[in-house]
Amino acid sequence: MVHVMIHLRFLSGPDVDRLAITNAEVIAAVEAVVEAHGRGLTVFEPRVHLVPDNGGAGHFNVLRGHVSPLNLSGIKVVGDFVPNYQRGLPSELGLLTAYDPSTGVPLAIMDATWITEVRTGAMTAVGAKHLARSDARILGHVGARGTAFSNVTMLDTLFPLEEIRVTSRRPESREAFAARLREVTSTPVRAVATADEAFDQADILVEASRLDEPTPLLRTASVRPGAFVVPYGTVSAVELDLLDVMDKVVVDDWRESRSGRFGALRAHVDTGRLSEQTLHAQIGEIVSGAKPGREHPDERILFWHRGLSILDVALAHLILTRAEAADAGTMLRYR
């Protein structure tokens, strides 16, 4: 038997940061893989959760996916530990392993914390590109940690926003978030005390809260004609009648929407309010042209994305390709 020496590339958080991948590159990679999903060129399993006996401090999400056009498979493990800010740690820390799908050879191990942050924001942006009004002026955003920065900054690049309103549970958190946003955008940013203030008359409503138990923050009455709504907190922050006012409900993947214990519309799926019959489309069907997106200015459209593993794989491919060209990271002997 011939023994082939195998090395893999380790990419730390700083290694990934130094690659200086732009928001536009991230959005393009995510939109391309969403289109591939719509054309049936991806393979993945719904995420699974590992909930340790840790007194409710947090849990792990395990995501597995393959993208045929990129010839790459990957597995990401990401923690969701909300109290981490008390220790000076991110609430979400991720690690991704990438594999050659034709041999099973591991190609890379990388810090996937940045991937988790930006791919969620990019999915919000891709959804908005196809489902929000092109003349959206006011963005209301609830939540200030994790993916919030990418949500807001990516949406800001796509729309002629005149005001960005942000809020979160802790005053110091929302003020710091607003200050961080003001450093990178000329769009006026206002930190407000409540979700109702953030969402009042907003054209784009994003609910990315980190709740301990279900609490209605995104109220049905806040959704005006023409609004684009994105609720994706792990624990539901919407009212049960929210879907009653929606003209279209779009998800990233229906099978993923039905899986797991968590998600903003978990109760809507469990009670039959959201089903395969009431669903308008998966976002891949819209991006690939199989189904229409926004058709009228006054449509109220909701987009629920739970986070697909294929997005992680697409961005891992972008990182790995860039790292190979720059000879970035550390080569480790595997066997």
Side-chain angles (χ1 to χ4, degrees):
M1 178 183 289
V2 178
H3 292 281
V4 179
M5 190 180 299
I6 300 174
H7 289 79
L8 53 80
R9 192 177 299 271
F10 172 71
L11 293 158
S12 68
D15 290 331
V16 174
D17 292 342
R18 280 192 289 270
L19 296 174
I21 295 170
T22 66
N23 279 355
E25 290 172 314
V26 171
I27 293 172
V30 166
E31 188 166 27
V33 79
V34 167
E35 181 180 15
H37 175 246
R39 293 164 53 209
L41 299 176
T42 62
V43 180
F44 66 95
E45 295 297 326
R47 72 175 62 199
V48 293
H49 306 288
L50 174 65
V51 185
D53 182 12
N54 59 13
H59 66 277
F60 296 98
N61 303 296
V62 183
L63 299 93
R64 304 147 291 167
H66 166 75
V67 181
S68 296
L70 302 178
N71 194 37
L72 191 68
S73 301
I75 299 172
K76 185 184 80 169
V77 179
V78 58
D80 192 348
F81 290 75
V82 175
N84 271 7
Y85 71 89
Q86 299 168 357
R87 305 185 182 196
L89 293 170
S91 57
E92 295 177 315
L93 290 165
L95 192 72
L96 185 143
T97 51
Y99 303 87
D100 182 330
S102 59
T103 63
V105 170
L107 302 175
I109 301 171
M110 64 182 73
D111 180 345
T113 305
W114 175 82
I115 289 178
T116 302
E117 290 177 1
V118 300
R119 66 94 141 113
T120 306
M123 188 59 134
T124 300
V126 169
K129 181 178 174 180
H130 293 269
L131 301 172
R133 290 173 58 132
S134 60
D135 62 349
R137 295 287 193 271
I138 300 174
L139 166 62
H141 192 286
V142 171
R145 292 199 301 276
T147 61
F149 185 76
S150 290
N151 274 334
V152 174
T153 55
M154 290 184 182
L155 287 170
D156 190 40
T157 66
L158 296 180
F159 295 92
L161 298 178
E162 295 175 355
E163 184 178 44
I164 296 168
R165 302 187 202 129
V166 298
T167 192
S168 65
R169 186 163 25 185
R170 295 179 300 123
E172 62 272 25
S173 174
R174 59 179 175 258
E175 292 294 345
F177 182 40
R180 185 183 175 199
L181 288 170
R182 291 186 192 110
E183 293 176 356
V184 298
T185 181
S186 58
T187 305
V189 179
R190 188 155 61 95
V192 297
T194 66
D196 287 339
E197 289 177 83
F199 292 143
D200 181 42
Q201 300 297 305
D203 301 300
I204 301 176
L205 298 77
V206 181
E207 178 280 304
S209 61
R210 309 301 300 274
L211 297 174
D212 299 319
E213 57 185 37
T215 308
L217 297 176
L218 200 170
R219 300 183 186 279
T220 305
S222 298
V223 183
R224 68 176 192 167
F228 174 59
V229 179
V230 186
Y232 71 82
T234 299
V235 177
S236 180
V238 303
E239 295 178 309
L240 203 56
D241 65 354
L242 177 64
L243 301 192
D244 296 349
V245 303
M246 291 298 163
D247 296 292
K248 289 174 179 167
V249 177
V250 177
V251 299
D252 50 3
D253 181 83
W254 175 239
R255 192 175 52 146
E256 187 78 32
S257 300
R258 290 180 298 166
S259 72
R261 299 162 41 186
F262 304 107
L265 301 186
R266 178 86 279 124
H268 300 76
V269 173
D270 292 344
T271 58
R273 285 173 178 256
L274 179 59
S275 67
E276 203 161 8
Q277 288 68 45
T278 63
L279 188 68
H280 170 64
Q282 297 180 139
I283 187 65
E285 296 175 303
I286 293 171
V287 174
S288 65
K291 290 188 178 179
R294 175 173 290 273
E295 296 175 276
H296 305 291
D298 287 343
E299 283 183 308
R300 294 178 173 96
I301 302 179
L302 182 145
F303 178 39
W304 182 32
H305 59 93
R306 302 213 49 217
L308 302 182
S309 60
I310 53 174
L311 275 59
D312 299 304
V313 174
L315 293 185
H317 181 269
L318 178 60
I319 289 170
L320 188 53
T321 302
R322 188 71 60 84
E324 288 170 347
D327 195 24
T330 306
M331 297 307 294
L332 304 175
R333 183 169 177 180
Y334 172 61
R335 58 178 296 122

